[in-house]
Amino acid sequence: MTTYPIAPDALTKPHLEPIRFGFGRGLLAAGELDERVVALCADLTESTRMHLFRDRFPERFVGVGVAEQNLVTVAAGMAHAGMIPFTSSYAAFSPGRNWEQIKTTAALNDQPVVVVGSHAGVNVGYDGATHQMLEDIAIMRVLPNMRVIVPGDSLEAERATRALAADPAPSYLRLARDKTPIFSTPDSPFEIGRAYLLADGRDVSLIATGTMTYHALVAADALSRKGISAEVVHVPTIKPLDSATILSSLRRTGRAVTIEEAQVAGGLGGAICELTAAEHPVPVLRLGMRDRYGESGGSTELLEKFRLTGTQIAEDVDRLIQG
Amino acid sequence: MTAAQAPAPEPLASIATRIRAHVVDMCAGPEGGHLGGAFSCVEVLTALYFSVLKVDPQRPDDPARDRFLLSKGHAAQALYATLAERGFFPVEELAGYGRPGSRLMGHPVRAVPGVELPTGSLGHGLALACGFALATRYAGGDSRSFVLLGDGELQEGSVWEAAIAAASLGLDRLVAVVDRNGLQLTGSTERIAPMEPLAERWRGFGWAVRDVDGHDASALADHLAAAPWEPGRPSVLIARTVKGHGLPFLAGRTASHYVTLSERNHARAIRALRATDAAS
């Protein structure tokens, strides 16, 4: 049933690249296509990969200094005057620090400001808890008019960035720092508001977003060897949520496991619980950060600590199914 | 092209008195209003809308317009009265202020013709105006962006983030006015969070600064028309004002911040405004 093209060696020998690199390429491409696209950054231009745009279009780049409140409010003013601004910083600071500005000056006014939050999740190496943004999906998802996009790999981040520039509206784009596996291909689809079926199954739906989609694929593969047939639903748009695709998967499998590198409260896990409770009640296991902050460590070490690797996810799903 | 505003046929001072009378009427409604801070900025708004701003009430979205933001959005009643007097919408609509279904809410929203963006959450206006000024720079043209800040509002850190950026980006088509009435909700700004020497603070941030009697509409207009005063620098005009100016029983009092006028005080206020008008 699934037709989503997956990279041939995705599970055995995946190509690795930071998701934020795709954003950098996508923004550059969007800038070539539309001269209304402008970029604003709070002194993290290379970290967020905005330097590609800055170097090509210096006149359309604004460095505001370490000032995230100003970052998004200036962007809202520019959007009101006809530009399509992309703002970037670490997610811990934007939208972490400037949520009220995002709400009042961009979302409330339906201004096409794209808030790009990089280094989200626990995936920030040794920076530790102050720099690990885990609540961003929850706080952005609750804003009326706001779209929330969490690409699964760098290729998808590139597609998502171009799609956001071509369809201006208030948006949040969540990026990760470290290298992560590329599971999609240059021909894989991306549409704002669509979820994608990556693997068919009967017993359980693994509903994943961002960096966790790859781990869901690994888990499904491991589960198949135990005779458990897991469907993988990739949700790169958390808002608006593709309810039809998700519900149709749950009608087939009757069980949901949500997987995200974020707080499950209010995150994808929260969104799926809201959907299922209202439309099609099924048991939901929410994997991700459960009401705690992160800590310092290598990305793989931290994912293991929080039981977010493919193998561990398969173990938890197996336990769920065996009851 | 937007036509420049023709010189007002009547003195700015008498327009200001009419605007105050509208505010007094609105503050006599069941919800009252932010009378003190509305009154302190009436001459600033009068100077802008009847002398300085390149705006066309028939085409409020003209891309070549000057843009204005009332960052101290709680002075909405003064803005509504000014926009109505200037022809953006009928003066009669002011009677519906604050009523269910009216677009004239306690803080301005975009549904009101002439309002660029909602304000009232303090600390946003200067940065939004920076955005306007940057967009103008990219688009070309000679329009300017104006923003009116409250002096209590200057306690918001985001104002100073924007002040740094405006100077470092050389936004000299940006003009800020500070309504320096010296009072905020709970008392004197200097007692709560001292900010003098205010002019030096702005200068230190890289702005061109001027100081003016904020109730002298002609002087305000002259300064605002002349901006930018220093090439490459944004301009800030510190308008020395009195909260509740024009009403002897409220002027300069913290209690003027939010007022619901009784019938008796409404009549007193109207009499006081008439006396001011006759004397001017």
Side-chain angles (χ1 to χ4, degrees), chain A residues 96-259:
Chain A
R97 177 181 299 223
N98 56 10
W99 182 85
E100 194 269 338
Q101 277 86 0
I102 292 170
K103 174 193 165 190
T104 308
T105 71
L108 171 64
N109 301 316
D110 215 3
Q111 298 297 330
V113 174
V114 183
V115 176
V116 181
S118 185
H119 295 48
V122 296
N123 174 322
V124 289
Y126 297 91
D127 278 346
T130 57
H131 285 55
Q132 286 163 327
M133 185 44 160
L134 303 168
E135 299 77 25
D136 50 340
I137 295 175
I139 64 173
M140 296 304 272
R141 187 169 81 77
V142 78
L143 292 174
N145 298 338
M146 182 62 63
R147 306 183 297 195
V148 178
I149 312 291
V150 186
D153 66 22
S154 62
L155 293 183
E156 188 169 67
E158 186 172 344
R159 290 190 287 273
T161 304
R162 298 178 63 150
L164 289 168
D167 181 13
S171 307
Y172 176 51
L173 179 65
R174 183 186 216 241
L175 307 174
R177 173 191 176 178
D178 281 348
K179 288 180 179 176
T180 52
I182 296 175
F183 61 84
S184 75
T185 74
D187 298 323
S188 301
F190 175 84
E191 230 177 276
I192 296 166
R194 283 287 310 277
Y196 298 97
L197 193 60
L198 268 47
D200 300 317
R202 295 179 310 276
D203 301 325
V204 61
S205 300
L206 307 184
I207 303 171
T209 192
T211 54
M212 286 297 112
T213 294
Y214 170 78
H215 293 277
L217 287 167
V218 172
D221 186 53
L223 287 165
S224 74
R225 279 182 259 116
K226 294 183 172 182
I228 296 172
S229 166
E231 190 145 301
V232 177
V233 184
H234 172 47
V235 186
T237 304
I238 296 195
K239 187 183 177 198
L241 193 64
D242 184 352
S243 309
T245 297
I246 292 164
L247 288 172
S248 106
S249 171
L250 293 176
R251 289 197 176 95
R252 285 190 290 275
T253 65
R255 280 192 198 94
V257 175
T258 64
I259 318 167

Side-chain angles (χ1 to χ4, degrees), chain B residues 1-21:
Chain B
M1 244 344 262
T2 304
Q5 168 61 29
E10 63 175 315
L12 294 176
S14 72
I15 300 173
T17 301
R18 275 211 310 283
I19 290 170
R20 283 202 169 84

Side-chain angles (χ1 to χ4, degrees), chain B residues 149-240:
Chain B
L149 308 167
D151 55 354
E153 180 181 14
L154 301 183
Q155 293 156 17
E156 292 281 5
S158 55
V159 172
W160 300 101
E161 288 190 7
I164 293 168
S168 74
L169 295 166
L171 298 179
D172 63 4
R173 310 298 295 169
L174 172 65
V175 185
V177 182
V178 175
D179 180 358
R180 183 64 169 129
N181 62 35
L183 293 175
Q184 57 192 95
L185 177 61
T186 59
S188 152
T189 56
E190 291 317 283
R191 188 173 51 74
I192 292 165
M195 55 186 79
E196 291 294 345
L198 186 57
E200 264 113 285
R201 285 198 181 191
W202 283 97
R203 256 182 224 110
F205 276 76
W207 286 60
V209 187
R210 290 189 185 181
D211 215 291
V212 68
D213 172 357
H215 296 303
D216 182 343
S218 301
L220 285 160
D222 289 346
H223 284 298
L224 294 171
W229 307 318
E230 297 174 28
R233 288 184 194 275
S235 310
V236 58
L237 184 60
I238 298 174
R240 304 277 168 186

